[in-house]
Amino acid sequence: MQAFLHAVGISAGCALALAPALLPSAHPTRRWPHVVMALGMAAGHLGGWFLSAAVLALLTAAWLCGSPSRRAETGHHIQDFVVMSILLVLTAFGGDHLAGATHPHGGGSPAAVALVIGLAWTCARLIRVLPERSTDRRMLGQDVCAAGMAASMAFMAALAL
């Protein structure tokens, strides 16, 4: 049952990451961060070298979002990429995975830390969606997407416990 819930969590997170990129109204320069997030989430959950490649891709994307020429378009995703990388690494290390289990997520205290970070990330993104805080309506979909993705990462951290 836990494997099924984990697959549902990964699928939901990837779908939420891709949703803003698939909308017909999406600006082409705003699509690539969502594709990188979805691919990073999927690859990171495969473990092994895929995890390393996913973390490297997510951190590279954060660096690209931080460049002065792209900061206005995609700069709000910098923290999403960094926190997502941290959560993937924390949930990958722990008890059973290091002992040779086939599941890509370990448990123990790293998963508990990942759960706390995931919940804080979800709350921070949901606060940005609140009507009195959200002044830019075109960014609302991206903030909702990030909040949902954060919630799915927190859910997967909870499953790793």
Side-chain angles (χ1 to χ4, degrees), residues 35-49:
V35 173
V36 172
M37 281 185 228
L39 292 176
M41 182 180 282
H45 287 91
L46 295 175
W49 289 103

Side-chain angles (χ1 to χ4, degrees), residues 4 24-25 32 52 81 83 106 112 125 143 150-151 154:
F4 173 73
S25 63
W32 71 269
S52 301
F81 287 125
V83 172
R125 283 312 210 162
D143 288 333

Side-chain angles (χ1 to χ4, degrees), residues 56-71:
L56 182 62
L58 290 168
L59 292 177
T60 302
W63 180 73
L64 289 172
C65 283
S67 69
S69 63
R70 295 189 188 204
R71 192 169 293 140

Side-chain angles (χ1 to χ4, degrees), residues 58-137:
L58 290 168
L59 292 177
T60 302
W63 180 73
L64 289 172
C65 283
S67 69
S69 63
R70 295 189 188 204
R71 192 169 293 140
E73 290 286 325
T74 58
H76 63 284
H77 285 301
I78 295 170
Q79 65 270 22
D80 292 331
F81 287 125
V82 173
V83 172
M84 197 171 182
S85 299
I86 291 169
L87 291 179
L88 285 173
V89 170
L90 283 173
T91 57
F93 296 109
D96 294 338
H97 178 62
L98 296 177
T102 58
H103 192 269
H105 292 302
S109 61
V113 171
L115 177 60
V116 170
I117 292 171
L119 290 173
W121 182 31
T122 303
C123 292
R125 283 312 210 162
L126 286 174
I127 288 171
R128 289 187 64 170
V129 175
L130 293 174
E132 56 272 356
R133 298 232 355 150
S134 180
T135 57
D136 189 3
R137 286 291 166 206

